[in-house]
Structures are given as C-alpha cells and as structure tokens.
C-alpha cells in the first residue's frame, strides 16, 4: 500500500516537450514524410501534416525535452520539506543531468519514480530520447526483462483509476476534485510550443513544470490521506 512507502524514497517529476524544430519546413523531406504517415490517423482530413506539426512534441520521435522538473521530500524530525529543482537548456545536458541525479540519489531498490501519466508519457519519453542521443539508460528507466511488479515507477493517474482502464483524468481535473491548488493558473500544455518558440520564455515553462511536479506530489499525499504541502514547506533550488 502506498501509505507504507517512505516519501523520502520517491522522486516526483514532470517533463515539458516541444517539436524538435519550430517549423515543419525545417524537417528534411524524409522526416516530413514520416510525420505525415505517423499522424495520418489523428489528422484524418482535417489538418495537413504541416498544420498538425505544433503537436509534434508529444511524440518522442519528433519532439524534444526542454525541461525536467523533479521534487523530493526531506524530513528532519517532524519538519517536512519538499525540494524542487529543474533541468533545462540543451536536451542532451538535461538528460545527462537527470540521469546523474537518478544514479547518485535514487538508484537503490527502495527508490521509485512518480509522475502523472508517467507510465504512458514521461518515463518512456525520457527513455526514448536518451536512446536517440546514445545515452545509456539508468536502471530505473531500463524496463527490459522486468516483471510488472518490479517496475520502479508510480503513476498517480494509474493510482486514481483503481483498476479502471476506460478513462483518462487530467492533472488539472484531479487537482480540482481533490481540492489541490491548480498548477494550470498560467499556461497549459497546449501553450508550451508558443511560449518556447515564439516568446522564448523558458522561465515561464520552468515555473509551469515545477508547479506540475508539486501537484503530482500533492495528489500522492491526498491518495495516502496525508496533509497537503503548505507553501512554506516547498523549497525551490
């Protein structure tokens, strides 16, 4: 049961992604063709491949990671703190820095990674981008040969489903119904492309990503029946 887990053994995280280039025309002919084939079902006849390209960030083969935010609990007696930090900049640097954190501080069998919809998006996306950049996967992301119960990942979406596989519950909806402050008070995922490529405002994206990470931790606390984090308990480093 999640109530028995030591919170200090969990690494909460969220990622932000965008298309690998700002414009569809910047892709070579082969990549443009592959994009058209990949998205044919989603686009149908409503959008051309170029018109649909601003959504390319959700596919690891056509997108890139621009920010990974992580958070972890620290207890000193009865004093609880939740420390949040972010990796951003060049994607290879982001991935290597994140990998180094996992290896140096969250590599033991007791450690788990936790994200909202992480099993469907964040964890495989990070792993695929590492492989694309020829970065060896850390043990916590290398799932080959692992049995389901050996996978060191927690997913707040999966926990909320309670075995129901028919529905998807967004982070924004779940925070709302659980009485948690919304992390979507500035931008949402659909706006990250514009904020990154058109505004060039990475600080705004980092702030958004960190709020999502905090929200994941808050959801996990609610699922355990624990008290939510207060503002003074959250430390950004």
């Amino acid at each position: 049961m999640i109530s028995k887990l030591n919170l200090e053994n969990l690494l909460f995280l969220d990622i932000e992604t965008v298309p690998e280039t700002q414009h569809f025309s910047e892709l070579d002919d082969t990549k443009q063709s592959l994009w058209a084939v990949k998205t044919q079902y989603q686009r149908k006849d409503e959008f051309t491949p170029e018109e649909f390209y601003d959504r390319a960030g959700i596919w690891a083969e056509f997108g890139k990671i621009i920010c990974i935010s992580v958070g972890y609990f620290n207890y000193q007696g009865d004093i609880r703190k939740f420390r949040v930090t972010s990796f951003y900049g060049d994607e290879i640097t982001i991935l290597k820095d994140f990998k180094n954190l996992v290896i140096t501080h969250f590599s033991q069998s007791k450690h788990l990674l936790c994200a909202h919809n992480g099993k469907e998006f964040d964890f495989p996306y990070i792993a695929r981008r590492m492989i694309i950049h020829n970065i060896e996967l850390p043990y916590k992301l290398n799932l080959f040969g692992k049995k389901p119960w050996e996978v060191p990942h927690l997913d707040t979406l999966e926990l909320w489903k309670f075995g129901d596989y028919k529905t998807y519950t967004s982070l924004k909806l779940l925070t709302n119904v659980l009485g948690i402050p919304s992390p979507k008070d500035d931008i949402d995922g659909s706006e990250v492309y514009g904020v990154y490529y058109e505004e060039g405002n990475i600080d705004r994206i980092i702030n958004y990503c960190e709020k999502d990470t905090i929200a994941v931790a808050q959801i996990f606390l609610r699922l355990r029946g624990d008290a939510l984090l207060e503002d003074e308990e959250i430390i950004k480093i």
Side-chain angles (χ1 to χ4, degrees), residues 84-202:
V84 184
T85 192
S86 295
F87 307 110
Y88 57 95
D90 172 73
E91 186 184 38
I92 293 177
T93 302
I94 292 172
L95 294 171
K96 287 183 176 179
D97 288 347
F98 174 73
K99 176 183 175 179
N100 183 61
L101 172 71
V102 171
I103 289 175
T104 55
H105 296 289
F106 292 92
S107 62
Q108 298 181 36
S109 58
K110 63 183 180 181
H111 293 129
L112 301 171
L113 308 182
C114 182
H116 189 75
N117 199 30
K119 291 186 176 182
E120 287 289 329
F121 186 70
D122 304 72
F123 304 138
Y125 201 111
I126 294 172
R128 289 165 183 159
R129 294 307 296 175
M130 283 186 173
I131 295 296
I132 287 171
H133 289 298
N134 201 30
I135 300 172
E136 184 178 358
L137 295 179
Y139 179 78
K140 293 297 181 182
L141 289 176
N142 191 346
L143 305 186
F144 180 76
K146 288 187 173 72
K147 299 177 177 63
W149 56 88
E150 295 173 333
V151 174
H153 299 162
L154 291 172
D155 189 327
T156 49
L157 173 61
E158 182 179 79
L159 293 171
W160 179 248
K161 286 182 175 181
F162 292 95
D164 175 9
Y165 293 97
K166 299 186 296 295
T167 60
Y168 170 82
T169 306
S170 69
L171 188 66
K172 184 175 183 178
L173 174 57
L174 194 49
T175 54
N176 178 270
V177 299
L178 294 180
I180 297 167
S182 173
K184 314 294 186 182
D185 56 357
D186 178 25
I187 60 175
D188 61 33
S190 66
E191 298 173 282
V192 171
Y193 170 88
V195 174
Y196 181 76
Y197 277 122
E198 296 169 12
E199 295 182 19
N201 194 341
I202 188 64

Side-chain angles (χ1 to χ4, degrees), residues 11 68-74 81-88 101 105-106 206 210 214 233-237:
L11 181 67
I68 301 178
S69 294
V70 299
Y72 51 92
F73 285 94
N74 177 253
K81 297 295 181 183
F82 187 72
R83 303 182 185 276
V84 184
T85 192
S86 295
F87 307 110
Y88 57 95
L101 172 71
H105 296 289
F106 292 92
I206 293 167
E210 290 182 346
I214 295 167
E233 294 179 294
I234 301 171
I235 300 174
K236 295 187 177 183
I237 55 178

Side-chain angles (χ1 to χ4, degrees), residues 64-79:
K64 64 181 179 180
I65 296 171
I66 57 172
C67 181
I68 301 178
S69 294
V70 299
Y72 51 92
F73 285 94
N74 177 253
Y75 284 83
Q76 295 181 350
D78 294 331
I79 300 175

